[in-house]
Amino acid sequence: MLNIALFGPPGAGKGTQSERLIAKYGLLYISTGDILRKEIASGSHLGQEINRITSQGHFVSDELIMRIIRKTIDENPHVNGILFDGFPRTISQAILLEELIGDLHTRFFGVLSLEVPREELIKRLINRGKVSGRSDDREDVILERLREYESKTLPVAGYFQEKGFYYPVDGTGSLEEIFNRLVEQIDKHSNLQ
Ligand code: ADP
């Protein structure tokens, strides 16, 4: 099993690269952001509560995140591995991920981190906001998301760096170039070959 967490700030291109990675390696894709947006779109009571939190750029609870992740895994038992996008976002989620990997009797490849300069991220997100219709792709909310990322999510990088499971990748350039860099890291550090 190849279990990877794709890591990086909002706008780093995780969703775009994920599509290619899951196709190449036959992975189950778990994007916590996508799952939350689906729940919002359903109009459920829970969805309304999620929307109140995410449209301010804040994080939902670890308990809710773990519930949706475990449900997605239970619904997809036969996979070559899992690609997590948008998780873990906090140190407490990093610890919960390790517990989950233990429960599944599998291994964790590590964190592939897409590195993109801050100014480029803001530019990409403002542009995305013009077409995405996402309530959190507005400039004030974008800045709040980047603040949340810097204070709560960046420490996760250090956590996995210390364990030797952290692989930074330059997230600028063409989609193809970035994809090739990701594949190079996976093939170099996994024992799939
Ligand atoms: P981004 O472009 O900010 O990486 P995502 O699509 O991954 O966006 O997530 C959108 C929003 O959903 C986040 O800003 C956050 O409010 C919420 N969210 C997603 N994943 C998590 C998580 N693992 N823990 C807490 N909140 C999350």
Side-chain angles (χ1 to χ4, degrees):
M1 292 257 290
L2 179 64
N3 301 300
I4 301 174
L6 193 56
F7 186 82
K14 301 186 294 290
T16 311
Q17 294 297 335
S18 290
E19 276 178 35
R20 297 168 172 230
L21 290 173
I22 56 170
K24 179 169 170 73
Y25 295 100
L27 306 176
L28 170 64
Y29 179 47
I30 302 187
S31 160
T32 46
D34 281 359
I35 299 171
L36 294 173
R37 277 186 290 278
K38 263 186 218 139
E39 191 64 42
I40 295 172
S42 80
S44 69
H45 183 73
L46 176 64
Q48 290 170 22
E49 177 63 16
I50 294 169
N51 192 38
R52 201 179 52 75
I53 299 167
T54 60
S55 64
Q56 294 173 22
H58 298 147
F59 292 170
V60 303
S61 72
D62 289 350
E63 195 255 315
L64 174 62
I65 290 295
M66 294 319 291
R67 202 152 24 104
I68 61 180
I69 288 176
R70 286 189 185 266
K71 180 162 178 275
T72 309
I73 292 173
D74 287 346
E75 287 165 356
N76 297 276
H78 306 292
V79 290
N80 290 335
I82 303 171
L83 181 67
F84 294 99
D85 168 355
F87 172 85
R89 241 181 173 85
T90 57
I91 294 278
S92 59
Q93 289 182 11
I95 295 166
L96 288 164
L97 169 63
E98 291 175 327
E99 280 173 24
L100 175 72
I101 294 286
D103 291 348
L104 296 173
H105 304 291
T106 182
R107 309 178 34 241
F108 183 49
F109 166 83
V111 170
L112 280 171
S113 173
L114 284 173
E115 320 249 298
V116 178
R118 199 172 196 275
E119 313 74 65
E120 165 101 13
L121 295 171
I122 297 174
K123 230 189 299 166
R124 288 187 190 178
L125 289 166
I126 290 176
N127 276 330
R128 184 171 81 184
K130 292 179 187 152
V131 290
S132 72
R134 272 176 59 167
S135 59
D136 59 351
D137 280 346
R138 290 186 356 227
E139 190 159 356
D140 54 336
V141 185
I142 290 169
L143 295 178
E144 181 57 25
R145 281 157 65 203
L146 287 173
R147 268 193 294 273
E148 285 271 86
Y149 175 80
E150 280 150 15
S151 67
K152 297 183 183 160
T153 309
L154 257 188
V156 174
Y159 180 86
F160 285 109
Q161 233 158 3
E162 271 176 28
K163 299 192 172 219
F165 294 151
Y166 182 80
Y167 309 106
V169 168
D170 178 0
T172 63
S174 73
L175 297 183
E176 201 58 41
E177 280 165 349
I178 301 167
F179 179 67
N180 290 337
R181 289 179 200 133
L182 291 167
V183 168
E184 192 185 317
Q185 291 296 316
I186 295 173
D187 292 349
K188 190 155 117 195
H189 300 288
S190 65
N191 46 16
L192 293 179
Q193 303 153 72

